[in-house]
């Protein structure tokens, strides 16, 4: 479930970003090779790190799972759509912001790609617990494989952005510190918004054992 709740919203965010651009008649914020790069980088790092998650503390207090319950419940569909839409807003929004500030197309697309990847990095910490809070030491530092994966992704994104060979292959361009601040600011915003959604869900089901804690 955790892997599904991570992979589907992130892939949905990528796809919806393209669809939004087409629907609005705008220039594509990311190209096909850049989408391929995002999928390769995140699939073998961020998504894989969730395979090393330990069992959660309240595992034995949960009700048995209904054998007839579908894998994609209404709650899971809601989370997938919720996160995917947030990623579209951030990615497309920062792309348009760069263009409005006079940035060339390659620079704006570099910001868009990094926004998608950094959003996935922050959402990975949300996905470590489906409804339990990740705003604690365990949630942020409890899985060393997640930290290794995040470190690898950040290094790869620096190379993707600034290495001349990568710029030639993927059409990227140098971006300044202010652009990075906006990118990471959106990542933090997405993380906190998903944590708020989880908090509201916990309050709604307070006192009831849950299969999604």
């Amino acid at each position: 479930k955790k892997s599904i709740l991570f992979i589907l919203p992130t892939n949905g965010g990528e796809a919806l970003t393209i669809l939004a651009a087409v629907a609005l008649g705008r220039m594509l914020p990311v190209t096909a090779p850049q989408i391929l790069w995002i999928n390769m980088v995140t699939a073998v790092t961020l998504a894989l790190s969730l395979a090393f998650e330990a069992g959660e503390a309240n595992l034995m207090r949960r009700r048995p799972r209904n054998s007839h319950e579908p894998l994609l419940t209404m709650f899971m569909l809601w989370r997938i759509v919720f996160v995917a839409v947030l990623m579209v807003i951030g990615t497309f929004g920062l792309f348009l912001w760069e263009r409005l500030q006079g940035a060339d197309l390659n620079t704006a697309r570099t910001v868009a790609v990094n926004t998608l990847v950094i959003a996935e990095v922050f959402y990975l910490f949300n996905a470590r617990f489906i409804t339990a809070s990740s705003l604690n030491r365990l949630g942020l530092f409890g899985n060393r494989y997640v930290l290794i994966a995040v470190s690898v992704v950040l290094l790869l994104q620096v190379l993707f952005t600034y290495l001349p060979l990568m710029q030639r292959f993927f059409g990227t361009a140098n971006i300044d510190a202010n652009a990075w601040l906006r990118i990471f600011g959106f990542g933090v915003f997405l993380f906190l918004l998903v944590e708020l959604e989880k908090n509201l869900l916990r309050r709604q089901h307070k006192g009831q054992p849950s299969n999604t804690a």
Side-chain angles (χ1 to χ4, degrees), residues 11-197:
N11 286 345
E14 296 166 17
L16 288 175
T17 298
I18 301 297
L19 291 175
V22 172
L24 295 173
R26 297 280 184 172
M27 188 72 68
L28 292 180
V30 288
T31 64
Q34 290 170 348
I35 286 288
L36 181 61
W37 166 265
I38 296 170
N39 287 335
M40 286 192 306
V41 166
T42 58
V44 298
T45 53
L46 303 182
L48 190 60
S49 67
L50 285 176
F52 298 95
E53 281 292 324
E56 296 180 18
N58 65 344
L59 190 64
M60 299 305 293
R61 295 200 299 271
R62 299 179 188 176
R63 294 177 305 203
R65 184 181 65 86
N66 185 343
S67 60
H68 300 292
E69 180 182 81
L71 187 58
L72 283 177
T73 61
M74 289 303 296
F75 158 73
M76 293 183 69
L77 288 172
W78 152 254
R79 174 70 61 79
I80 289 166
V81 172
F82 176 59
V83 175
V85 169
L86 287 178
M87 288 187 176
V88 172
I89 292 171
T91 302
F92 206 74
L94 288 182
F95 172 79
L96 292 178
W97 168 266
E98 293 295 328
R99 294 293 285 164
L100 289 172
Q101 301 308 305
D104 61 74
L105 185 58
N106 283 353
T107 300
R109 282 176 168 166
T110 303
V111 169
V113 172
N114 279 296
T115 301
L116 269 172
V117 173
I118 298 303
E120 292 186 22
V121 166
F122 277 92
Y123 179 60
L124 178 65
F125 291 96
N126 295 125
R128 291 196 57 223
F129 303 108
I130 297 177
T131 59
S133 175
S134 296
L135 270 172
N136 50 59
R137 188 177 183 279
L138 179 62
L140 298 175
F141 305 106
N143 184 338
R144 67 189 181 98
Y145 296 102
V146 165
L147 299 178
I148 292 171
V150 168
S151 300
V152 170
V153 166
L154 294 178
L155 174 60
L156 289 173
Q157 285 308 117
V158 169
L159 296 176
F160 173 82
T161 303
Y162 298 106
L163 195 67
L165 183 63
M166 301 295 273
Q167 291 180 341
R168 190 179 312 149
F169 281 145
F170 293 100
T172 56
N174 295 346
I175 57 177
D176 60 22
N178 288 331
W180 282 112
L181 283 174
R182 288 189 288 271
I183 290 167
F184 276 87
F186 172 71
V188 172
F189 174 74
L190 183 144
F191 172 80
L192 293 176
L193 208 55
V194 176
E195 287 302 304
L196 176 62
E197 181 254 2

